Amino acid sequence: MDAPVKLKPAPGAGAMPIDPYRAFIFPNHIRELRRRAGLQKLIVLSHRLPGITYIRLSKIERGEVIARAAELVEIAAVLGVAPDALLVDVDAPGFAIDSWAAPFIDPGTLDIERERFAILVAAAVRHIRSTDRALTIQAIGERLGIAAVNLSRIENAQRHFEDWNPATQAAIATLMGTGSTAALRARIDQLHRAGELDPWIPAVSDPGERLRRTRERIAALRAELAGDRTTAGARAPLATAAPAEFAATTSGTLAVRGIAGADGLILDDPTGERIQPPPGCGARVIALRLCRATLGAGLPGQAILFVDPDRYPVAGGLAALREAGGFRILAVTIDRDGVLVGHSQQPPLTLPLSPLTQDDVHAVVAARFL
């Protein structure tokens, strides 16, 4: 059942796929190999992995977040297998996402109308944020009380609208410029009928797009794991696993992206420049011009940063936070409560990063000063 559920489009709108497996972006063999190792409960495995929280380990095993290569190495060591044995070949003849996800979801309980509206809400929020650059993650959190982790869940239709509490439902209605949930439904239906949500729906709920992202992430993980078993100088072949939009040319250069946007945002637009990436960059590295000294004089605006979507930021480093239309560069620290946070000087911001997944925030692995 890796095909979408197709709904009859509203007049003027394109076909709308419903992917019941959209949350499962990282199918893996962890659950199977855990049980084969005699660890029937995930909590038992968690106790042997102090470096990975139980909540994150659960999301990894359920395929809801992409594991980092270092995490796979830790998990594999406890299970007594090679790290790449945890990875699934999603193109293998015997693989089917419905069979893999069966322990976690019952497609027979799929509520089409709730699924449909969750996807339309996700597309509508993405649409409105793309048209108003003032609607940053922080602004939405401060003005409407929608935490960054919940905004990510809303924009990825990870929960039905009806399952959010009344305060969050009201905040979404306010974000969309409506005063009630009834008015919200009417507004979203209007946008859908006008076709304005069509560009955003595939990113939320398209099995083909999900499979493409999964295939790329797993290929990058395989390449990184293979690179860890070689010398550092042997990492150059990782570029062969890169998707087309990030791949280097035969000359080994990357297209530089990054145009100055409002409120310190770096717009994800090409600059027309190309640059040689430093050694050891991952398969999907992005060359991003900083545009302005948002972190102070120590990192000038003309610097080009190398952002790796397959690495999660760590304290003491830099992070690239994805927002609608671009990136925000933050210095990463840990607060006194042990929460990973990101800071910016211009504008002055402090944002929690721990609730965000690797899809939302990436590590800056190198910088070049020009």
PDB file of all heavy atoms in Angstrom, residues 60-99:
ATOM      1  N   ILE A  60      13.473   6.930  16.194  1.00  0.00           N
ATOM      2  CA  ILE A  60      14.359   6.310  15.207  1.00  0.00           C
ATOM      3  C   ILE A  60      13.832   4.934  14.827  1.00  0.00           C
ATOM      4  O   ILE A  60      13.711   4.596  13.646  1.00  0.00           O
ATOM      5  CB  ILE A  60      15.801   6.217  15.747  1.00  0.00           C
ATOM      6  CG1 ILE A  60      16.430   7.609  15.862  1.00  0.00           C
ATOM      7  CG2 ILE A  60      16.658   5.329  14.836  1.00  0.00           C
ATOM      8  CD1 ILE A  60      17.771   7.621  16.562  1.00  0.00           C
ATOM      9  N   GLU A  61      13.522   4.104  15.833  1.00  0.00           N
ATOM     10  CA  GLU A  61      13.054   2.753  15.538  1.00  0.00           C
ATOM     11  C   GLU A  61      11.741   2.774  14.755  1.00  0.00           C
ATOM     12  O   GLU A  61      11.522   1.942  13.862  1.00  0.00           O
ATOM     13  CB  GLU A  61      12.864   1.962  16.836  1.00  0.00           C
ATOM     14  CG  GLU A  61      12.417   0.534  16.587  1.00  0.00           C
ATOM     15  CD  GLU A  61      12.310  -0.301  17.855  1.00  0.00           C
ATOM     16  OE1 GLU A  61      13.357  -0.770  18.324  1.00  0.00           O
ATOM     17  OE2 GLU A  61      11.186  -0.462  18.373  1.00  0.00           O
ATOM     18  N   ARG A  62      10.866   3.735  15.056  1.00  0.00           N
ATOM     19  CA  ARG A  62       9.596   3.852  14.349  1.00  0.00           C
ATOM     20  C   ARG A  62       9.746   4.510  12.979  1.00  0.00           C
ATOM     21  O   ARG A  62       8.768   4.615  12.240  1.00  0.00           O
ATOM     22  CB  ARG A  62       8.606   4.666  15.194  1.00  0.00           C
ATOM     23  CG  ARG A  62       8.144   3.963  16.456  1.00  0.00           C
ATOM     24  CD  ARG A  62       7.300   4.905  17.303  1.00  0.00           C
ATOM     25  NE  ARG A  62       6.104   5.348  16.578  1.00  0.00           N
ATOM     26  CZ  ARG A  62       4.940   4.703  16.588  1.00  0.00           C
ATOM     27  NH1 ARG A  62       4.814   3.584  17.305  1.00  0.00           N
ATOM     28  NH2 ARG A  62       3.902   5.160  15.919  1.00  0.00           N
ATOM     29  N   GLY A  63      10.957   4.944  12.654  1.00  0.00           N
ATOM     30  CA  GLY A  63      11.187   5.542  11.344  1.00  0.00           C
ATOM     31  C   GLY A  63      10.701   6.968  11.211  1.00  0.00           C
ATOM     32  O   GLY A  63      10.577   7.486  10.099  1.00  0.00           O
ATOM     33  N   GLU A  64      10.443   7.639  12.337  1.00  0.00           N
ATOM     34  CA  GLU A  64       9.901   8.989  12.293  1.00  0.00           C
ATOM     35  C   GLU A  64      10.973  10.053  12.189  1.00  0.00           C
ATOM     36  O   GLU A  64      10.676  11.202  11.840  1.00  0.00           O
ATOM     37  CB  GLU A  64       9.029   9.240  13.522  1.00  0.00           C
ATOM     38  CG  GLU A  64       7.788   8.356  13.558  1.00  0.00           C
ATOM     39  CD  GLU A  64       6.989   8.514  14.828  1.00  0.00           C
ATOM     40  OE1 GLU A  64       7.402   9.308  15.693  1.00  0.00           O
ATOM     41  OE2 GLU A  64       5.936   7.851  14.962  1.00  0.00           O
ATOM     42  N   VAL A  65      12.219   9.717  12.511  1.00  0.00           N
ATOM     43  CA  VAL A  65      13.347  10.625  12.316  1.00  0.00           C
ATOM     44  C   VAL A  65      14.505   9.834  11.707  1.00  0.00           C
ATOM     45  O   VAL A  65      14.596   8.613  11.875  1.00  0.00           O
ATOM     46  CB  VAL A  65      13.811  11.300  13.633  1.00  0.00           C
ATOM     47  CG1 VAL A  65      12.700  12.121  14.249  1.00  0.00           C
ATOM     48  CG2 VAL A  65      14.319  10.262  14.626  1.00  0.00           C
ATOM     49  N   ILE A  66      15.366  10.543  10.997  1.00  0.00           N
ATOM     50  CA  ILE A  66      16.549   9.920  10.410  1.00  0.00           C
ATOM     51  C   ILE A  66      17.630   9.808  11.471  1.00  0.00           C
ATOM     52  O   ILE A  66      17.974  10.803  12.128  1.00  0.00           O
ATOM     53  CB  ILE A  66      17.079  10.753   9.231  1.00  0.00           C
ATOM     54  CG1 ILE A  66      15.992  10.977   8.177  1.00  0.00           C
ATOM     55  CG2 ILE A  66      18.299  10.095   8.618  1.00  0.00           C
ATOM     56  CD1 ILE A  66      15.642   9.773   7.368  1.00  0.00           C
ATOM     57  N   ALA A  67      18.153   8.632  11.683  1.00  0.00           N
ATOM     58  CA  ALA A  67      19.248   8.457  12.639  1.00  0.00           C
ATOM     59  C   ALA A  67      20.514   9.092  12.098  1.00  0.00           C
ATOM     60  O   ALA A  67      20.704   9.210  10.884  1.00  0.00           O
ATOM     61  CB  ALA A  67      19.487   6.977  12.901  1.00  0.00           C
ATOM     62  N   ARG A  68      21.372   9.526  12.995  1.00  0.00           N
ATOM     63  CA  ARG A  68      22.697   9.976  12.596  1.00  0.00           C
ATOM     64  C   ARG A  68      23.612   8.762  12.522  1.00  0.00           C
ATOM     65  O   ARG A  68      23.386   7.741  13.182  1.00  0.00           O
ATOM     66  CB  ARG A  68      23.222  11.006  13.600  1.00  0.00           C
ATOM     67  CG  ARG A  68      22.347  12.257  13.676  1.00  0.00           C
ATOM     68  CD  ARG A  68      22.971  13.347  14.516  1.00  0.00           C
ATOM     69  NE  ARG A  68      22.839  13.114  15.939  1.00  0.00           N
ATOM     70  CZ  ARG A  68      21.782  13.463  16.663  1.00  0.00           C
ATOM     71  NH1 ARG A  68      20.739  14.030  16.082  1.00  0.00           N
ATOM     72  NH2 ARG A  68      21.754  13.249  17.963  1.00  0.00           N
ATOM     73  N   ALA A  69      24.657   8.874  11.721  1.00  0.00           N
ATOM     74  CA  ALA A  69      25.566   7.737  11.550  1.00  0.00           C
ATOM     75  C   ALA A  69      26.143   7.304  12.893  1.00  0.00           C
ATOM     76  O   ALA A  69      26.251   6.100  13.174  1.00  0.00           O
ATOM     77  CB  ALA A  69      26.680   8.103  10.572  1.00  0.00           C
ATOM     78  N   ALA A  70      26.511   8.258  13.740  1.00  0.00           N
ATOM     79  CA  ALA A  70      27.088   7.920  15.045  1.00  0.00           C
ATOM     80  C   ALA A  70      26.082   7.152  15.901  1.00  0.00           C
ATOM     81  O   ALA A  70      26.462   6.257  16.670  1.00  0.00           O
ATOM     82  CB  ALA A  70      27.538   9.190  15.759  1.00  0.00           C
ATOM     83  N   GLU A  71      24.806   7.489  15.781  1.00  0.00           N
ATOM     84  CA  GLU A  71      23.781   6.773  16.544  1.00  0.00           C
ATOM     85  C   GLU A  71      23.641   5.335  16.048  1.00  0.00           C
ATOM     86  O   GLU A  71      23.483   4.405  16.849  1.00  0.00           O
ATOM     87  CB  GLU A  71      22.441   7.508  16.426  1.00  0.00           C
ATOM     88  CG  GLU A  71      22.428   8.851  17.134  1.00  0.00           C
ATOM     89  CD  GLU A  71      21.180   9.657  16.853  1.00  0.00           C
ATOM     90  OE1 GLU A  71      20.649   9.570  15.724  1.00  0.00           O
ATOM     91  OE2 GLU A  71      20.744  10.399  17.757  1.00  0.00           O
ATOM     92  N   LEU A  72      23.711   5.146  14.729  1.00  0.00           N
ATOM     93  CA  LEU A  72      23.643   3.793  14.191  1.00  0.00           C
ATOM     94  C   LEU A  72      24.812   2.951  14.684  1.00  0.00           C
ATOM     95  O   LEU A  72      24.659   1.763  14.980  1.00  0.00           O
ATOM     96  CB  LEU A  72      23.637   3.834  12.663  1.00  0.00           C
ATOM     97  CG  LEU A  72      22.372   4.396  12.006  1.00  0.00           C
ATOM     98  CD1 LEU A  72      22.537   4.395  10.492  1.00  0.00           C
ATOM     99  CD2 LEU A  72      21.140   3.602  12.408  1.00  0.00           C
ATOM    100  N   VAL A  73      25.978   3.565  14.770  1.00  0.00           N
ATOM    101  CA  VAL A  73      27.158   2.842  15.259  1.00  0.00           C
ATOM    102  C   VAL A  73      26.934   2.399  16.702  1.00  0.00           C
ATOM    103  O   VAL A  73      27.241   1.253  17.072  1.00  0.00           O
ATOM    104  CB  VAL A  73      28.413   3.738  15.141  1.00  0.00           C
ATOM    105  CG1 VAL A  73      29.599   3.095  15.861  1.00  0.00           C
ATOM    106  CG2 VAL A  73      28.752   3.980  13.667  1.00  0.00           C
ATOM    107  N   GLU A  74      26.385   3.286  17.533  1.00  0.00           N
ATOM    108  CA  GLU A  74      26.124   2.946  18.940  1.00  0.00           C
ATOM    109  C   GLU A  74      25.087   1.826  19.059  1.00  0.00           C
ATOM    110  O   GLU A  74      25.265   0.871  19.823  1.00  0.00           O
ATOM    111  CB  GLU A  74      25.624   4.182  19.690  1.00  0.00           C
ATOM    112  CG  GLU A  74      26.656   5.274  19.900  1.00  0.00           C
ATOM    113  CD  GLU A  74      26.083   6.419  20.721  1.00  0.00           C
ATOM    114  OE1 GLU A  74      25.525   6.157  21.800  1.00  0.00           O
ATOM    115  OE2 GLU A  74      26.178   7.566  20.270  1.00  0.00           O
ATOM    116  N   ILE A  75      24.002   1.956  18.310  1.00  0.00           N
ATOM    117  CA  ILE A  75      22.931   0.952  18.378  1.00  0.00           C
ATOM    118  C   ILE A  75      23.442  -0.404  17.892  1.00  0.00           C
ATOM    119  O   ILE A  75      23.187  -1.446  18.505  1.00  0.00           O
ATOM    120  CB  ILE A  75      21.723   1.404  17.537  1.00  0.00           C
ATOM    121  CG1 ILE A  75      21.107   2.673  18.145  1.00  0.00           C
ATOM    122  CG2 ILE A  75      20.677   0.295  17.458  1.00  0.00           C
ATOM    123  CD1 ILE A  75      20.100   3.351  17.245  1.00  0.00           C
ATOM    124  N   ALA A  76      24.171  -0.388  16.782  1.00  0.00           N
ATOM    125  CA  ALA A  76      24.685  -1.637  16.210  1.00  0.00           C
ATOM    126  C   ALA A  76      25.639  -2.338  17.170  1.00  0.00           C
ATOM    127  O   ALA A  76      25.645  -3.577  17.258  1.00  0.00           O
ATOM    128  CB  ALA A  76      25.376  -1.345  14.882  1.00  0.00           C
ATOM    129  N   ALA A  77      26.448  -1.549  17.881  1.00  0.00           N
ATOM    130  CA  ALA A  77      27.396  -2.152  18.818  1.00  0.00           C
ATOM    131  C   ALA A  77      26.673  -2.929  19.917  1.00  0.00           C
ATOM    132  O   ALA A  77      27.093  -4.015  20.309  1.00  0.00           O
ATOM    133  CB  ALA A  77      28.287  -1.061  19.426  1.00  0.00           C
ATOM    134  N   VAL A  78      25.564  -2.376  20.410  1.00  0.00           N
ATOM    135  CA  VAL A  78      24.794  -3.065  21.444  1.00  0.00           C
ATOM    136  C   VAL A  78      24.125  -4.313  20.881  1.00  0.00           C
ATOM    137  O   VAL A  78      24.067  -5.361  21.541  1.00  0.00           O
ATOM    138  CB  VAL A  78      23.741  -2.116  22.047  1.00  0.00           C
ATOM    139  CG1 VAL A  78      22.822  -2.875  23.007  1.00  0.00           C
ATOM    140  CG2 VAL A  78      24.418  -0.963  22.778  1.00  0.00           C
ATOM    141  N   LEU A  79      23.652  -4.251  19.645  1.00  0.00           N
ATOM    142  CA  LEU A  79      22.948  -5.381  19.042  1.00  0.00           C
ATOM    143  C   LEU A  79      23.888  -6.412  18.426  1.00  0.00           C
ATOM    144  O   LEU A  79      23.445  -7.484  18.000  1.00  0.00           O
ATOM    145  CB  LEU A  79      21.970  -4.873  17.973  1.00  0.00           C
ATOM    146  CG  LEU A  79      20.861  -3.938  18.468  1.00  0.00           C
ATOM    147  CD1 LEU A  79      19.954  -3.541  17.319  1.00  0.00           C
ATOM    148  CD2 LEU A  79      20.054  -4.590  19.588  1.00  0.00           C
ATOM    149  N   GLY A  80      25.171  -6.072  18.354  1.00  0.00           N
ATOM    150  CA  GLY A  80      26.146  -7.022  17.844  1.00  0.00           C
ATOM    151  C   GLY A  80      26.088  -7.218  16.342  1.00  0.00           C
ATOM    152  O   GLY A  80      26.341  -8.326  15.847  1.00  0.00           O
ATOM    153  N   VAL A  81      25.762  -6.150  15.602  1.00  0.00           N
ATOM    154  CA  VAL A  81      25.702  -6.229  14.142  1.00  0.00           C
ATOM    155  C   VAL A  81      26.494  -5.077  13.550  1.00  0.00           C
ATOM    156  O   VAL A  81      26.891  -4.141  14.256  1.00  0.00           O
ATOM    157  CB  VAL A  81      24.243  -6.164  13.629  1.00  0.00           C
ATOM    158  CG1 VAL A  81      23.432  -7.340  14.168  1.00  0.00           C
ATOM    159  CG2 VAL A  81      23.578  -4.839  14.011  1.00  0.00           C
ATOM    160  N   ALA A  82      26.742  -5.135  12.254  1.00  0.00           N
ATOM    161  CA  ALA A  82      27.379  -4.026  11.562  1.00  0.00           C
ATOM    162  C   ALA A  82      26.379  -2.872  11.445  1.00  0.00           C
ATOM    163  O   ALA A  82      25.177  -3.109  11.263  1.00  0.00           O
ATOM    164  CB  ALA A  82      27.839  -4.457  10.172  1.00  0.00           C
ATOM    165  N   PRO A  83      26.825  -1.616  11.539  1.00  0.00           N
ATOM    166  CA  PRO A  83      25.892  -0.480  11.476  1.00  0.00           C
ATOM    167  C   PRO A  83      25.009  -0.481  10.236  1.00  0.00           C
ATOM    168  O   PRO A  83      23.815  -0.185  10.326  1.00  0.00           O
ATOM    169  CB  PRO A  83      26.813   0.740  11.517  1.00  0.00           C
ATOM    170  CG  PRO A  83      28.034   0.262  12.247  1.00  0.00           C
ATOM    171  CD  PRO A  83      28.206  -1.170  11.822  1.00  0.00           C
ATOM    172  N   ASP A  84      25.575  -0.839   9.068  1.00  0.00           N
ATOM    173  CA  ASP A  84      24.754  -0.776   7.859  1.00  0.00           C
ATOM    174  C   ASP A  84      23.726  -1.906   7.800  1.00  0.00           C
ATOM    175  O   ASP A  84      22.823  -1.885   6.954  1.00  0.00           O
ATOM    176  CB  ASP A  84      25.604  -0.739   6.592  1.00  0.00           C
ATOM    177  CG  ASP A  84      26.563  -1.909   6.477  1.00  0.00           C
ATOM    178  OD1 ASP A  84      26.505  -2.819   7.318  1.00  0.00           O
ATOM    179  OD2 ASP A  84      27.379  -1.898   5.530  1.00  0.00           O
ATOM    180  N   ALA A  85      23.824  -2.885   8.717  1.00  0.00           N
ATOM    181  CA  ALA A  85      22.795  -3.927   8.789  1.00  0.00           C
ATOM    182  C   ALA A  85      21.470  -3.364   9.306  1.00  0.00           C
ATOM    183  O   ALA A  85      20.419  -3.987   9.131  1.00  0.00           O
ATOM    184  CB  ALA A  85      23.254  -5.065   9.696  1.00  0.00           C
ATOM    185  N   LEU A  86      21.519  -2.196   9.934  1.00  0.00           N
ATOM    186  CA  LEU A  86      20.307  -1.562  10.442  1.00  0.00           C
ATOM    187  C   LEU A  86      19.527  -0.854   9.347  1.00  0.00           C
ATOM    188  O   LEU A  86      18.362  -0.495   9.543  1.00  0.00           O
ATOM    189  CB  LEU A  86      20.665  -0.548  11.536  1.00  0.00           C
ATOM    190  CG  LEU A  86      21.459  -1.079  12.737  1.00  0.00           C
ATOM    191  CD1 LEU A  86      21.789   0.058  13.687  1.00  0.00           C
ATOM    192  CD2 LEU A  86      20.681  -2.172  13.464  1.00  0.00           C
ATOM    193  N   LEU A  87      20.160  -0.645   8.194  1.00  0.00           N
ATOM    194  CA  LEU A  87      19.545   0.127   7.115  1.00  0.00           C
ATOM    195  C   LEU A  87      18.726  -0.769   6.192  1.00  0.00           C
ATOM    196  O   LEU A  87      19.108  -1.899   5.913  1.00  0.00           O
ATOM    197  CB  LEU A  87      20.618   0.867   6.308  1.00  0.00           C
ATOM    198  CG  LEU A  87      21.457   1.878   7.102  1.00  0.00           C
ATOM    199  CD1 LEU A  87      22.534   2.482   6.214  1.00  0.00           C
ATOM    200  CD2 LEU A  87      20.572   2.969   7.681  1.00  0.00           C
ATOM    201  N   VAL A  88      17.623  -0.238   5.712  1.00  0.00           N
ATOM    202  CA  VAL A  88      16.724  -0.951   4.804  1.00  0.00           C
ATOM    203  C   VAL A  88      17.000  -0.523   3.373  1.00  0.00           C
ATOM    204  O   VAL A  88      17.285   0.654   3.114  1.00  0.00           O
ATOM    205  CB  VAL A  88      15.254  -0.638   5.168  1.00  0.00           C
ATOM    206  CG1 VAL A  88      14.316  -1.019   4.032  1.00  0.00           C
ATOM    207  CG2 VAL A  88      14.850  -1.355   6.442  1.00  0.00           C
ATOM    208  N   ASP A  89      16.929  -1.470   2.451  1.00  0.00           N
ATOM    209  CA  ASP A  89      16.965  -1.148   1.025  1.00  0.00           C
ATOM    210  C   ASP A  89      15.522  -0.977   0.570  1.00  0.00           C
ATOM    211  O   ASP A  89      14.803  -1.954   0.343  1.00  0.00           O
ATOM    212  CB  ASP A  89      17.655  -2.262   0.230  1.00  0.00           C
ATOM    213  CG  ASP A  89      17.717  -1.964  -1.260  1.00  0.00           C
ATOM    214  OD1 ASP A  89      17.226  -0.892  -1.684  1.00  0.00           O
ATOM    215  OD2 ASP A  89      18.239  -2.808  -2.013  1.00  0.00           O
ATOM    216  N   VAL A  90      15.080   0.271   0.452  1.00  0.00           N
ATOM    217  CA  VAL A  90      13.672   0.519   0.131  1.00  0.00           C
ATOM    218  C   VAL A  90      13.340   0.160  -1.314  1.00  0.00           C
ATOM    219  O   VAL A  90      12.154   0.134  -1.683  1.00  0.00           O
ATOM    220  CB  VAL A  90      13.302   1.991   0.403  1.00  0.00           C
ATOM    221  CG1 VAL A  90      13.381   2.296   1.889  1.00  0.00           C
ATOM    222  CG2 VAL A  90      14.191   2.944  -0.398  1.00  0.00           C
ATOM    223  N   ASP A  91      14.359  -0.117  -2.129  1.00  0.00           N
ATOM    224  CA  ASP A  91      14.120  -0.506  -3.519  1.00  0.00           C
ATOM    225  C   ASP A  91      14.203  -2.016  -3.717  1.00  0.00           C
ATOM    226  O   ASP A  91      14.070  -2.504  -4.850  1.00  0.00           O
ATOM    227  CB  ASP A  91      15.121   0.194  -4.445  1.00  0.00           C
ATOM    228  CG  ASP A  91      14.916   1.706  -4.452  1.00  0.00           C
ATOM    229  OD1 ASP A  91      13.758   2.128  -4.626  1.00  0.00           O
ATOM    230  OD2 ASP A  91      15.892   2.454  -4.270  1.00  0.00           O
ATOM    231  N   ALA A  92      14.437  -2.769  -2.643  1.00  0.00           N
ATOM    232  CA  ALA A  92      14.514  -4.225  -2.753  1.00  0.00           C
ATOM    233  C   ALA A  92      13.143  -4.789  -3.131  1.00  0.00           C
ATOM    234  O   ALA A  92      12.109  -4.266  -2.694  1.00  0.00           O
ATOM    235  CB  ALA A  92      14.981  -4.825  -1.428  1.00  0.00           C
ATOM    236  N   PRO A  93      13.098  -5.840  -3.944  1.00  0.00           N
ATOM    237  CA  PRO A  93      11.809  -6.395  -4.400  1.00  0.00           C
ATOM    238  C   PRO A  93      10.873  -6.783  -3.266  1.00  0.00           C
ATOM    239  O   PRO A  93       9.659  -6.681  -3.393  1.00  0.00           O
ATOM    240  CB  PRO A  93      12.242  -7.616  -5.222  1.00  0.00           C
ATOM    241  CG  PRO A  93      13.636  -7.316  -5.654  1.00  0.00           C
ATOM    242  CD  PRO A  93      14.254  -6.525  -4.546  1.00  0.00           C
ATOM    243  N   GLY A  94      11.404  -7.230  -2.138  1.00  0.00           N
ATOM    244  CA  GLY A  94      10.536  -7.696  -1.060  1.00  0.00           C
ATOM    245  C   GLY A  94      10.106  -6.628  -0.078  1.00  0.00           C
ATOM    246  O   GLY A  94       9.366  -6.922   0.866  1.00  0.00           O
ATOM    247  N   PHE A  95      10.557  -5.375  -0.288  1.00  0.00           N
ATOM    248  CA  PHE A  95      10.221  -4.333   0.687  1.00  0.00           C
ATOM    249  C   PHE A  95       8.907  -3.646   0.323  1.00  0.00           C
ATOM    250  O   PHE A  95       8.677  -3.292  -0.832  1.00  0.00           O
ATOM    251  CB  PHE A  95      11.317  -3.274   0.776  1.00  0.00           C
ATOM    252  CG  PHE A  95      10.958  -2.142   1.713  1.00  0.00           C
ATOM    253  CD1 PHE A  95      11.069  -2.313   3.078  1.00  0.00           C
ATOM    254  CD2 PHE A  95      10.490  -0.927   1.217  1.00  0.00           C
ATOM    255  CE1 PHE A  95      10.714  -1.287   3.956  1.00  0.00           C
ATOM    256  CE2 PHE A  95      10.134   0.095   2.083  1.00  0.00           C
ATOM    257  CZ  PHE A  95      10.255  -0.083   3.458  1.00  0.00           C
ATOM    258  N   ALA A  96       8.060  -3.465   1.324  1.00  0.00           N
ATOM    259  CA  ALA A  96       6.819  -2.701   1.154  1.00  0.00           C
ATOM    260  C   ALA A  96       6.599  -1.898   2.428  1.00  0.00           C
ATOM    261  O   ALA A  96       6.660  -2.445   3.534  1.00  0.00           O
ATOM    262  CB  ALA A  96       5.639  -3.632   0.903  1.00  0.00           C
ATOM    263  N   ILE A  97       6.359  -0.614   2.273  1.00  0.00           N
ATOM    264  CA  ILE A  97       6.231   0.240   3.445  1.00  0.00           C
ATOM    265  C   ILE A  97       5.032  -0.145   4.299  1.00  0.00           C
ATOM    266  O   ILE A  97       5.072  -0.026   5.519  1.00  0.00           O
ATOM    267  CB  ILE A  97       6.141   1.733   3.027  1.00  0.00           C
ATOM    268  CG1 ILE A  97       6.245   2.657   4.241  1.00  0.00           C
ATOM    269  CG2 ILE A  97       4.865   1.989   2.246  1.00  0.00           C
ATOM    270  CD1 ILE A  97       7.569   2.587   4.968  1.00  0.00           C
ATOM    271  N   ASP A  98       3.961  -0.659   3.685  1.00  0.00           N
ATOM    272  CA  ASP A  98       2.803  -1.029   4.489  1.00  0.00           C
ATOM    273  C   ASP A  98       3.114  -2.207   5.403  1.00  0.00           C
ATOM    274  O   ASP A  98       2.683  -2.251   6.556  1.00  0.00           O
ATOM    275  CB  ASP A  98       1.591  -1.320   3.602  1.00  0.00           C
ATOM    276  CG  ASP A  98       1.859  -2.386   2.559  1.00  0.00           C
ATOM    277  OD1 ASP A  98       3.025  -2.585   2.189  1.00  0.00           O
ATOM    278  OD2 ASP A  98       0.900  -3.027   2.107  1.00  0.00           O
ATOM    279  N   SER A  99       3.917  -3.170   4.907  1.00  0.00           N
ATOM    280  CA  SER A  99       4.301  -4.312   5.750  1.00  0.00           C
ATOM    281  C   SER A  99       5.245  -3.865   6.852  1.00  0.00           C
ATOM    282  O   SER A  99       5.113  -4.279   8.014  1.00  0.00           O
ATOM    283  CB  SER A  99       4.970  -5.392   4.887  1.00  0.00           C
ATOM    284  OG  SER A  99       4.066  -5.900   3.935  1.00  0.00           O
TER     285      SER A  99
END
